[in-house]
Amino acid sequence: MEHIMTENKPLTATTQTRNALISGITKRQDNFDYTMTELGELAKAAGYAVVADVRQKADFPTGATYFGKGKVEEIREAAVLHEADVIIVNDELSPSQLRNLEKQIKRRVVDRTQLILDIFGTRARSKQAKMQVEIAQLRYALPRLRNQSAGFDQQGGGSTGGGGAALANRGSGETQLEMDKRILTKRISHIKHELIEEEQSEQTRSSQRTASDIPTVALVGYTNAGKSTTMNGLLSLYADRPEDKQVFEKNMLFATLDTSVRRIELPGNRQFLLSDTVGFVGKLPTKLVDSFKATLAEAKNADLLIHVVDFADQHYPEMMQVTEKTLRDIGIAEDVPVIEAYNKADLRGDATAFPEVNGNQLVYSARDDASLQQLAAMIEERIFADQVTATYLIPFTDGAAVNYINSVAKVDQTDYNETGTLITATMSKAQAVKVQQYIVEE
Ligand SMILES: Nc1nc2c(ncn2[C@@H]2O[C@H](COP(=O)(O)OP(=O)(O)OP(=O)(O)O)[C@@H](O)[C@H]2O)c(=O)[nH]1
Ligand SMILES: [Mg+2]
C-alpha cells in the first residue's frame, strides 16, 4: 500500500516544472475573472508554470465533457501550441467528465479540487495534517479509480487522480479495479481510526486548557491574509515565555496547515491563548473542510475570533465572504464575537491611515508595533470584558488561594491583617467564582 502514500511527495523536489493550461466556464459568477486569477496562483503554488488560459462563456457546463465541443477542441489545440502537459479546470469535475476530457484532449486533466488537495499534500507537516489530507485525497480518488491508461502519461503531478494506474496488479479473481477500490477503502478506514486516536489526545489537551480558565482567541481568514504574521507580531511584543516559537509565515498560499497555539501575556497578568489556523480559499473542497474540522476545533472553541483580511487586495470583500461561509460550514457559532482586522494597510496605495479603530473593525499592519498594540488593546477589551474587581480576605491557612489569584488575576493591592492576606484583584467571573467565599468587598 506504500505506493499510494508516495503521492504526498513534494512536487517541486521530485519533478521538474510542468506546463499547465488553466480553463474555466464563466457561468453566472460575478467574480469569475478573479477565480481564474486565483486558479493561476493555486497552479503556481502546486509547482506548475501557467502557459495558457482558455475560457468559455456559458451559463452552464455541458454534461459529458464539462466544456462544449468546440471549446474542448480549442483547449486541445492550445495545449499543443503552448506545450501544456496538464489541463487545469476551475471547478470540481465529475469522474466521467474528467475521463471524457482526458480522452479527448489527450492530456492529464486536474480539477480545482485535485489541485488544492495536491497543494495541501505538499504542505502538510504534522502527523495529523498529513492524515487529514490523505483521507481527503483518498475520498476524492475513490470514485475516480479506473482501469489502466487513457493513452497518455498519468504519473507525476503529485496527484492521486490517476490512482488506478499507480496500483500494482495483483491479478486473479477480483478485477484490478475492484482490488484497487478495496485497498483504498481499507486505507481510508485505517487512517480515520488513527486520526480519531490522535484527535482524542488532542482534545484532552484542549479541554485541559479550557479547564485552566484562560480565554482563547483564534486568528482566522483567507490564505495569505497575514494571520501568521499577526501571531508573530503579537508574540514578539507579548510572548509569555521567550522560548515561545514564532510560527511559519510566507508569501504563498496555504503556508499554514497546522493550528499552533501560543500563550500571550498582556500587562497586568492578562493572559490568553492565541491560535493560528489554516487559511481558506474559494471553492475549498468540502472533503478537505471535513477533514480539517478537528484542526479547526481551536477556532470553534474560541472566545473571540480575529478575522484577518488582506486589505491591500482589491478582492478582499469576496475573500471575506468566502471566509464567513467556510466558518459557517465548519459550524463555528455565529455568536462568537469577531474583530475584523484589515491588514496590510501599509501596502494600500491610497495612504490609508492606520492603526484605526471603528467599532469591531481595525485597519492595521501586522508589521507595525503601534498596530499590534492597538489590536492587543481590542482583544483585551473584549475577552476581559466580564471581569470583576473585588477584595478578598484569605486566611493564612489557604496559601493555595493566594497563589491562584496571583497567577490568574491582575493584582491591584496586597495587604496583611491578623487573620490573613487582603488582596484586591481583577479577574474573570469564572476565575472569581473559585475564590468567592473570601470576598469581603466588591
Ligand atoms: N507589507 C505587508 N506584508 C504583510 C503584512 N502582513 C503579512 N504580510 C506578508 O504577507 C504574506 C503572507 O503572510 P502570512 O502571515 O504567512 O499569511 P497567512 O494568513 O498566515 O497565510 P496562510 O498560512 O497561507 O493561510 C507574507 O509574505 C507576509 O510577510 C503587512 O501588514 N504588510
Ligand atoms: Mg499562516
Side-chain angles (χ1 to χ4, degrees):
M1 265 176 274
E2 285 313 303
H3 44 278
I4 307 178
M5 294 291 297
T6 58
E7 314 286 358
N8 272 341
K9 277 188 299 199
L11 309 175
T12 40
T14 50
T15 48
Q16 70 210 103
T17 312
R18 307 186 114 217
N19 290 339
L21 176 154
I22 59 171
S23 60
I25 296 182
T26 52
K27 296 197 266 177
R28 286 176 187 152
Q29 310 169 85
D30 301 332
N31 60 346
F32 174 71
D33 285 341
Y34 171 62
T35 68
M36 286 298 289
T37 308
E38 191 172 72
L39 187 68
E41 291 300 315
L42 289 167
K44 280 183 230 156
Y48 293 105
V50 177
V51 293
D53 181 331
V54 178
R55 301 172 185 204
Q56 179 179 353
K57 270 207 192 92
D59 286 347
F60 303 101
T62 310
T65 49
Y66 185 76
F67 294 105
K69 202 165 170 236
K71 200 50 77 170
V72 174
E73 183 52 24
E74 187 184 328
I75 292 173
R76 200 191 61 78
E77 282 166 13
V80 173
L81 182 68
H82 297 283
E83 299 182 347
D85 320 295
V86 173
I87 312 301
I88 298 176
V89 183
N90 197 16
D91 262 324
E92 180 166 325
L93 299 176
S94 72
S96 69
Q97 285 172 334
L98 189 93
R99 234 178 3 248
N100 294 335
L101 270 181
E102 288 195 331
K103 231 178 255 162
Q104 295 187 24
I105 304 176
K106 300 198 168 49
R107 293 282 188 286
R108 182 158 172 260
V109 173
V110 171
D111 64 10
R112 188 171 171 116
T113 302
Q114 176 76 65
L115 188 64
I116 294 173
L117 289 173
D118 284 349
I119 300 171
F120 271 66
T122 63
R123 302 272 203 264
R125 288 288 167 271
S126 75
K127 194 174 162 203
Q128 193 179 6
K130 281 184 179 154
M131 288 192 288
Q132 287 167 330
V133 175
E134 197 186 344
I135 289 176
Q137 284 177 332
L138 293 173
R139 284 177 57 199
Y140 175 85
L142 196 57
R144 289 169 178 78
L145 280 183
R146 61 200 146 177
N147 284 318
Q148 291 296 333
S149 143
F152 55 89
D153 169 28
Q154 291 191 358
Q155 307 294 322
S159 90
T160 358
L167 297 172
N169 190 348
R170 321 252 160 122
S172 89
E174 253 177 332
T175 66
Q176 175 73 52
L177 188 62
E178 283 163 352
M179 173 106 67
D180 289 351
K181 283 198 171 155
R182 194 166 52 78
I183 294 171
L184 284 199
T185 312
K186 231 172 121 183
R187 172 110 193 120
I188 292 173
S189 62
H190 174 74
I191 312 171
K192 271 194 181 156
H193 192 77
E194 271 188 64
L195 193 56
I196 289 169
E197 282 179 9
E198 186 78 10
E199 281 163 10
Q200 275 164 352
S201 58
E202 178 78 10
Q203 249 168 23
T204 349
R205 265 175 271 153
S206 67
S207 59
Q208 274 165 2
R209 256 184 240 132
T210 327
S212 70
D213 299 331
I214 301 178
T216 58
V217 178
L219 292 154
V220 295
Y222 216 76
T223 181
N224 217 42
K227 299 177 292 298
S228 301
T229 311
T230 301
M231 171 115 163
N232 286 337
L234 289 171
L235 275 173
S236 66
L237 291 179
Y238 305 110
D240 171 39
R241 295 167 304 197
E243 69 272 19
D244 267 350
K245 280 198 235 36
Q246 297 258 306
V247 298
F248 181 60
E249 59 176 73
K250 201 175 172 197
N251 189 15
M252 68 180 188
L253 301 178
F254 305 117
T256 305
L257 286 194
D258 293 304
T259 303
S260 316
V261 183
R262 300 281 189 273
R263 190 191 291 254
I264 302 280
E265 186 170 331
L266 302 178
N269 208 357
R270 299 194 142 182
Q271 297 179 16
F272 63 92
L273 294 171
L274 182 65
S275 55
D276 181 24
T277 61
V278 58
F280 304 141
V281 77
K283 305 188 205 178
L284 199 61
T286 40
K287 294 179 186 75
L288 202 55
V289 174
D290 275 356
S291 339
F292 271 80
K293 274 193 177 149
T295 308
L296 285 159
E298 289 298 341
K300 205 170 165 176
N301 300 328
D303 298 297
L304 172 70
L305 297 178
I306 301 174
H307 178 174
V308 181
V309 179
D310 183 346
F311 198 34
D313 190 310
Q314 54 162 325
H315 295 287
Y316 78 87
E318 285 108 303
M319 294 171 166
M320 290 182 77
Q321 274 175 17
V322 169
T323 301
E324 283 157 12
K325 180 177 180 304
T326 314
L327 289 173
R328 278 196 302 274
D329 291 348
I330 299 164
I332 290 190
E334 311 218 356
D335 55 1
V336 179
V338 180
I339 294 176
E340 288 179 359
Y342 295 86
N343 187 25
K344 307 195 190 179
D346 58 307
L347 290 182
R348 284 180 62 99
D350 57 1
T352 302
F354 69 93
E356 197 155 273
V357 184
N358 183 3
N360 70 335
Q361 303 178 326
L362 168 70
V363 176
Y364 80 115
S365 163
R367 293 185 175 174
D368 166 51
D369 282 357
S371 291
L372 294 163
Q373 283 157 1
Q374 184 65 63
L375 178 59
M378 288 176 79
I379 295 172
E380 183 170 9
E381 217 174 85
R382 281 158 184 79
I383 57 177
F384 298 106
D386 70 335
Q387 297 245 315
V388 286
T389 303
T391 303
Y392 302 84
L393 175 59
I394 300 158
F396 292 121
T397 49
D398 195 354
V402 176
N403 290 342
Y404 176 74
I405 294 177
N406 282 325
S407 69
V408 301
K410 176 173 173 289
V411 175
D412 300 322
Q413 205 181 339
T414 305
D415 283 316
Y416 302 93
N417 68 15
E418 42 311 333
T419 49
T421 314
L422 264 172
I423 306 180
T424 304
T426 306
M427 64 188 105
S428 76
K429 280 185 189 141
Q431 292 165 336
V433 165
K434 303 201 169 164
V435 282
Q436 66 180 359
Q437 73 267 35
Y438 300 131
I439 293 183
V440 286
E441 193 182 315
E442 242 177 295

